[in-house]
Amino acid sequence: MSQESPGEQVDDALEAAGLPTPDVVVEPDADRLARAVASALVARLAAAQAVHGSASVVLTGGGIGTAVLREVAALAVEPEASVVDWTAVDVWWGDERWVPADDDERNEKGARAALLDVVGVPAGRVHAIPASDAGFAEPEEAAAAYADELAASGDGGPPRIDVLMLGMGPEGHVASIFPDSPAATDSRTVVAVRDCPKPPPTRVSLGFAAINAAEEVWLLVSGEGKAEAVGRALTGGLSGVELPAAGVHGTRATRWLLDADAASQLPR
């Protein structure tokens, strides 16, 4: 009898839990990855609107996340992107830096410049995580307020999220959940994160409870420096505490969208 590989063991565990086996898509480079993800996102939002009348997305920051938003904005003038009614798209964030609203470190600020202001998403549909100057004394208060906003939109639980996009750090962190951090074992939908190993040290992040309630979770990963963590997440059978990227999944689909460098340590 042949022995299962670690990757096959991961697939079996997901199947036993009733979760979808991850899809892996590899593009030749970061630029083509951003264009491919942008096209797929437009198609997914349009499909959600066809079914529900509206769509919802959770955005991520970082280089590849912002590049995707710029590509979506570039597509907005093309016929394939005109199928999305941007006035009926709810926008959320996976995490945010605890800095003032006009700080360039804010994921929200980058997303507005790259896409939201370009396509005209209404202010009432942009659900930004509170900034440090938004009237909350501590990030824990901001996290509780964002959790309340999520619950109000979802009739007491997380709202329907059609696509939740995540980046991943070289050590395997997603959103602002780092390996072996308190956030990795926190059961709340939104958590305050202190003493992050990368600056800025204080943040507000969705927890696994909110991330894993999304219909589709897309992990956007670019660069050779993240290849080891990609390989460990997809084939190592690790928990989300050890490697947070290994602990995220969608209820309908989990997609790893990689460039060739990030995929370089996956089995062929």
Side-chain angles (χ1 to χ4, degrees), residues 225-251:
K226 300 178 182 181
E228 180 182 1
V230 169
R232 292 174 65 215
L234 283 169
T235 64
L238 299 173
S239 73
V241 176
E242 299 168 276
L243 192 75
V248 300
H249 56 77
T251 60

Side-chain angles (χ1 to χ4, degrees), residues 43-234:
R44 182 67 184 88
L45 295 179
Q49 288 182 337
V51 174
H52 303 290
S54 64
S56 54
V57 62
V58 172
L59 302 183
T60 183
I64 190 65
T66 303
V68 167
L69 299 187
R70 292 196 187 102
E71 291 293 340
V72 173
L75 283 173
V77 298
E78 300 294 334
E80 71 171 292
S82 65
V83 294
V84 175
D85 177 4
W86 291 102
T87 68
V89 176
D90 281 286
V91 177
W92 304 82
W93 273 266
D95 72 330
E96 190 57 275
R97 286 78 178 262
W98 182 246
V99 293
D102 64 351
D103 194 303
D104 289 341
E105 292 276 3
R106 287 272 297 177
N107 290 331
E108 177 201 357
K109 185 175 181 180
R112 286 185 180 278
L115 176 64
L116 306 184
D117 292 344
V118 178
V119 298
V121 178
R125 289 190 177 271
V126 178
H127 307 278
I129 295 174
S132 63
D133 56 356
F136 298 99
E138 301 291 343
E140 288 79 8
E141 296 175 13
Y146 205 57
D148 289 343
E149 188 171 356
L150 280 168
S153 297
D155 295 326
R160 188 194 82 250
I161 298 295
D162 299 299
V163 177
L164 186 148
M165 296 191 293
L166 295 169
M168 187 195 74
E171 74 297 282
H173 87 265
V174 290
S176 286
I177 305 175
F178 287 81
D180 299 309
S181 71
T185 55
D186 199 308
S187 62
R188 291 173 292 182
T189 55
V190 187
V191 297
V193 181
R194 295 180 181 268
D195 301 319
C196 285
K198 63 179 292 186
T202 305
R203 306 175 180 206
V204 176
S205 178
L206 296 188
F208 285 135
I211 293 171
N212 292 341
E215 292 195 1
E216 297 190 15
V217 170
W218 297 5
L219 293 106
L220 322 179
V221 191
S222 172
E224 187 176 4
K226 300 178 182 181
E228 180 182 1
V230 169
R232 292 174 65 215
L234 283 169

Side-chain angles (χ1 to χ4, degrees), residues 6-16 19 21-22 234:
E8 290 170 329
Q9 293 170 5
V10 171
D11 291 349
D12 289 347
L14 290 169
E15 184 177 355
L19 299 173
T21 299
L234 283 169

